């Protein structure tokens, strides 16, 4: 049988850790296909997880006697994530997809975006309580930004060893927003509060405002929260392409071709850090738990802020709108609309929820920059 | 890892305070600039 060694010698390099990682990869693929949970990210991550955990496959950089052999996925990681290029390019596409009009119509909605970042800072403290060092704790906390590119950007800038687990947690919980948010909202609000109606006046924003908005946001955030200048700049550049009215083909390309291409590469590149040796740790379970805490306390922060606001304003705000202040767009806004209509079929909260939701997009980037300002 | 580090937790609360203050401050400036833009450029 010795003559078959050249075919089967690698079988003996398989460990139970590899098998567990194949199961995790399979689970991610199943969630993507069967449950339609963030399939654009979870499917490449799932497949990549299986690929990088094939022993001696050479897709990730490995040490051999003759020196390191560079793997293609490690190469992609270094070229696109190690230098933050992919998350930034993806933000051009996201910026081109977002219509900020509901937010510009009612700028007060921006406050909910700020309040719903509470989960980030609460989770930072919780991660410190569980013994993570400051850089890792800050990287884990940014799962609460509910924003994949920001999570990857911050975790990578802080050189976190847990970037794989953080990315998986961020995208998984974004997909689980419809399961995570409603019970927390119901726990914190009364039926009467959930039935509060809010008036919406559309079409009151000028074209000049829509064009100036991305430029002014970039300047303000870039100066004050300078660490997020690149993130917010690329997001707003995408939005300027959309709103300027003279670059519709570039806007379409950013929204579709660019976003799809980068998402494809981002998912598979992340798996450079999904090897059994890096992923199968007790810390990974803790990170998944802390990610859930981050999403729950984002929701708590948004809802409670709206309730406090109602103590001081004449026109009451439906406190559920506060929960839409997280960056998970548009899932969170849709949930609030659904919950509102369940309580009162004539209650249309969607545009307010969308306003709060897109404000969360900007606020989460600001929060990411502030984390870097404070810690890096 | 599961040893709870209460001192680190208490020490990190400063980031919660500074972080939330920072986010609200930047957002407040943005809200103000939107009001100014909406006042300067009225929709036709």
């Amino acid at each position: 049988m010795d003559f078959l060694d050249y075919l089967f010698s690698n079988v003996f390099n398989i460990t139970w850790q590899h098998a567990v990682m194949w199961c995790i990869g399979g689970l991610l693929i199943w969630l993507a296909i069967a449950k339609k949970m963030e399939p654009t990210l979870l499917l490449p991550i799932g497949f990549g997880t299986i690929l990088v955990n094939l022993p001696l496959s050479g897709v990730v950089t490995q040490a051999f006697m003759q020196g390191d052999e560079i793997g293609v996925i490690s190469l992609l990681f270094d070229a696109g994530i190690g230098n933050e290029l992919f998350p930034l390019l993806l933000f051009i596409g996201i910026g081109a997809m977002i219509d900020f009009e509901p937010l510009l119509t009612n700028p007060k909605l921006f406050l909910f975006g700020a309040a719903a970042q509470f989960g980030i800072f609460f989770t930072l403290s919780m991660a410190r309580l569980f013994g993570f060092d400051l850089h890792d704790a800050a990287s884990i906390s940014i799962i609460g930004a509910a924003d994949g590119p920001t999570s990857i950007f911050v975790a990578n800038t802080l050189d976190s060893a847990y970037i794989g687990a953080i990315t998986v947690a961020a995208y998984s919980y974004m997909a689980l927003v419809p399961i995570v948010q409603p019970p927390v909202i119901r726990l914190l609000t009364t039926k009467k509060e959930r039935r509060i109606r809010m008036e919406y006046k559309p079409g009151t924003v000028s074209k000049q405002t829509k064009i100036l908005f991305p430029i002014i946001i970039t300047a303000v955030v870039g100066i004050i929260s300078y660490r997020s200048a690149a993130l917010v700049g690329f997001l707003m550049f995408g939005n300027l392409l959309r709103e300027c009215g003279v670059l519709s083909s570039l806007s379409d390309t950013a929204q579709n071709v660019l976003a799809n291409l980068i998402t494809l590469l981002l998912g598979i590149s992340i798996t450079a850090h999904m090897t059994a040796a890096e992923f199968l740790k007790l810390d990974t379970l803790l990170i998944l738990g802390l990610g859930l805490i981050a999403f729950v306390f984002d929701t708590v922060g948004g809802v409670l802020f709206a309730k406090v606001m109602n103590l001081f304003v004449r026109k009451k705000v439906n406190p559920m709108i506060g929960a839409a202040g997280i960056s998970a767009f548009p899932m969170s806004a849709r949930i609030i609309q659904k919950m509102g209509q369940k309580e009162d079929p004539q209650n249309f909260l969607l545009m307010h929820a969308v306003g709060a939701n897109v404000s969360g997009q900007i606020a989460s980037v600001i929060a990411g920059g502030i984390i870097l300002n404070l810690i890096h | 890892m599961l040893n709870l580090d209460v001192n680190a937790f208490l020490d990190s609360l400063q980031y919660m305070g500074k972080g939330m203050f920072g986010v609200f401050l930047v957002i407040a400036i943005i809200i103000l600039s939107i009001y100014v833009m909406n006042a300067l450029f009225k929709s036709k």
Side-chain angles (χ1 to χ4, degrees), chain A residues 104 107-108 110-111 114-115 117-118 121-122 124-126 128-132 134 203-206 208-209 212-213 216-217 220-221 224 282-283 286 305 362-363 366-367 370 374-375, chain B:
Chain A
L104 295 170
K108 283 198 290 285
F110 240 124
L111 291 170
Q117 306 311 313
F118 176 67
F121 298 100
F122 181 78
L124 192 155
S125 295
M126 291 304 291
R128 290 291 286 142
L129 180 68
F130 283 112
F132 286 99
L134 192 55
T204 51
V205 181
S206 68
Q208 291 98 320
T209 302
L212 280 174
F213 176 72
I216 289 178
I217 293 279
V220 170
V221 178
I224 300 174
L282 179 63
D283 293 358
L286 264 173
F305 182 81
I362 297 176
I366 295 168
I370 284 173
L374 285 170
I375 286 161
Chain B
M1 173 56 70
L2 277 175
N3 291 333
L4 298 182
D5 191 343
V6 178
N7 286 332
F9 172 80
L10 294 173
D11 187 50
S12 69
L13 292 178
Q14 59 166 315
Y15 298 112
M16 198 190 292
K18 286 179 186 171
M20 286 308 287
F21 174 77
V23 174
F24 271 103
L25 181 72
V26 179
I27 292 293
I29 295 170
I30 292 172
I31 291 174
L32 201 66
S33 43
I34 296 173
Y35 277 118
V36 171
M37 281 192 289
N38 281 339
L40 287 176
F41 307 106
K42 291 246 163 42
S43 176
K44 286 168 193 162

Side-chain angles (χ1 to χ4, degrees), chain A residues 159-239:
Chain A
D159 203 19
S160 174
Y162 302 107
I163 189 166
I166 288 167
T167 308
V168 169
Y171 280 106
S172 304
Y173 287 125
M174 273 163 64
L176 289 172
V177 157
I179 296 165
V180 175
Q181 283 205 306
V184 181
I185 295 169
R186 273 195 289 271
L187 193 73
L188 296 172
T189 54
T190 62
K191 200 174 176 63
K192 193 181 164 193
E193 285 173 325
R194 293 196 292 273
R195 295 174 72 123
I196 293 176
R197 291 186 180 183
M198 291 171 73
E199 194 187 352
Y200 178 71
K201 289 181 197 157
T204 51
V205 181
S206 68
K207 189 169 171 60
Q208 291 98 320
T209 302
K210 285 184 185 175
I211 292 173
L212 280 174
F213 176 72
I215 300 168
I216 289 178
I217 293 279
T218 305
V220 170
V221 178
I223 291 167
I224 300 174
S225 175
Y226 54 91
R227 281 283 180 180
S228 47
L231 274 174
V232 84
F234 277 63
L235 184 75
M236 290 296 130
F237 172 57
N239 191 249

